[in-house]
Amino acid sequence: MGILDEKFLPPDDMPEFHRPFWEALKAHRLEAQECENGHLRFIPTEICPRCGSQDWTWRRLSGRGSIYTFTVVHRAPTPAYQADAPYVVAHVELEEGIRVIGNVTGCEPGAVHIGMPVEVAFEDVSERWTLYSFTPREAA
Amino acid sequence: MASFRRRKAVIAGVHMTEQGDLSGASPQQVYWQVVKGAVADAGLQLSDVDGLIGPAPEGLGLRGTLPGAAMADLLGRPLRFQAYTSVGAASTAAGIGPGIWAIENGVADVVILPTVSAGKGSGYTSADRGAAIAHMAKLGTPYEWLWGTTRVADHAVIAQRHMHQYGTTSEQLAEVAVAQRHGATLHPLSVMGRKGEITVDDVLASRMVAEPLHLLDSCIVNQGAGCIVVAAEDRLERARPRIRMIGYGQSHAYLDPNHLPDLTTFHGDVASDTAFGVAGIGRDEIDVISISDHFTINVIVGLEEAGFCKKGEGGPFVEGGALRIDGRLPTNTAGGYLSCTHAANSGTFGLIELVEQLRGSAGARQVTDAKLGYIHGVGGVFQSHFAAVLARD
Ligand SMILES: [Zn+2]
């Protein structure tokens, strides 16, 4: 199967410190690393960029946030993605202060705007992988 | 024994091949064509070359990992120097720093900086456009590409945020494309020049690729080759204006967009301030510049990063044809990645154009009495930067 045939899945050979993030997704939890000094970070790294600590625990995130920036993709990378176009790719600023990239579903692309409140949604795409997206929510 | 320290280096030769579709030529054939062209432009011989920045021609075995050793076989004698710099599409151009270092310290006499895209290719250099775009989409991490991102989308989110934060408009973005197309119409080797001038309305009416970026906000996809030769001044016999590098800097800013607090600020000022600090001149003395322009937003952000205007003021800065050859700050005067060429390590062509401008050999594109030039080369999505100030003696 070539790169053009199906939507991409995460690679099987990712470094060990990435795996807990994907395991948590299978349980429909969005998690990020937190060092012993309370610094949250995403995407996973082996060292805290703020204090140099190499110890961490995984902290569950609220999944609530707002759109920091976004684009509506009209020309997708492959035919499998093109079938969904136009679709939204957004950088979401979570309540905990870190940003996560994902699609925004559950509304028309034209309704998406910077500052829009969103929350995480999970989709089990295979036995092995659960992915996430964001949907509009009522502001608190 | 003679001391080679404090020897002076000159950017002595430049050459570019035809740009466009070179899928019928072999990369090796084009490599030697462009190297010989640049060496001849410097008034030197292939037998004078003793240093290489970047890769050897593609081949079997360890050519890829031991490029200096490969060149020794191909040139029939030991090579004295090889180095890589890693600034994405500006990697070869960024090699001007280590290239000049090698000469000024007596490590080499004549260093070539070639970049080549030709033949059928594979992965993101594939001549098959669909496969190339798919591979380019996967340059980042799964935390990006799982969601159907593309290189255009990666820059579109920056443009969208810049518009939100600073009021930048699609019309201002379009002004960049219009000014650069004008330059391309005056460059005999540019890919888009023969299509003629474009207007702001043409850009806005072109197909939307990833909002807010249209097709004409985007770089072209093409093949081609370019080469620069840096040489010790005492090796040069040809009488012509001497072009030197008087300041240089790098900045490696971030890799993952989630790690960057503000998606409109990319620490390119670190590279630029270093280069201007070494050169000891101000931005207001610069006559002509090259800025990596994968998309129109890159020039607006790049002008801010390089300190030619304040953060957020890039949009108003480019209005009224300011970047045209006859404008306030002539920028990417050959047409840049948008309209001239986006082949291989395409930052090379920005450096070639600056050399032509400072020599006074840019023909119909010539900026009047250009003496000082600046290049801001970017790798990835503003992830790595290099900056250089060039001067004519
Ligand atoms: Zn920490």
Side-chain angles (χ1 to χ4, degrees), chain A residues 35 39 48 51:
Chain A
C35 77
H39 303 138
C48 174
C51 72

Short mmCIF file of all heavy atoms in Angstrom, two decimals, chain A residues 35 39 48 51, ligand 1:
data_model
loop_
_atom_site.label_atom_id
_atom_site.label_comp_id
_atom_site.label_asym_id
_atom_site.label_seq_id
_atom_site.Cartn_x
_atom_site.Cartn_y
_atom_site.Cartn_z
N CYS A 35 6.49 17.87 34.35
CA CYS A 35 7.70 17.59 35.13
C CYS A 35 7.42 17.83 36.60
O CYS A 35 6.36 18.32 36.97
CB CYS A 35 8.87 18.45 34.65
SG CYS A 35 8.77 20.15 35.23
N HIS A 39 5.75 21.94 35.08
CA HIS A 39 5.76 22.45 33.70
C HIS A 39 5.11 21.43 32.77
O HIS A 39 5.58 20.31 32.64
CB HIS A 39 7.20 22.71 33.23
CG HIS A 39 7.96 23.65 34.10
ND1 HIS A 39 9.27 23.45 34.45
CD2 HIS A 39 7.59 24.82 34.69
CE1 HIS A 39 9.69 24.44 35.23
NE2 HIS A 39 8.68 25.29 35.39
N CYS A 48 12.48 18.39 29.94
CA CYS A 48 11.62 19.58 30.06
C CYS A 48 12.36 20.79 29.52
O CYS A 48 13.43 21.13 30.03
CB CYS A 48 11.23 19.82 31.52
SG CYS A 48 10.30 21.36 31.74
N CYS A 51 13.03 23.48 32.48
CA CYS A 51 13.91 23.31 33.64
C CYS A 51 14.93 22.18 33.49
O CYS A 51 15.75 21.98 34.37
CB CYS A 51 13.07 23.09 34.90
SG CYS A 51 12.26 21.49 34.96
ZN ZN C 1 10.17 21.57 34.05
#
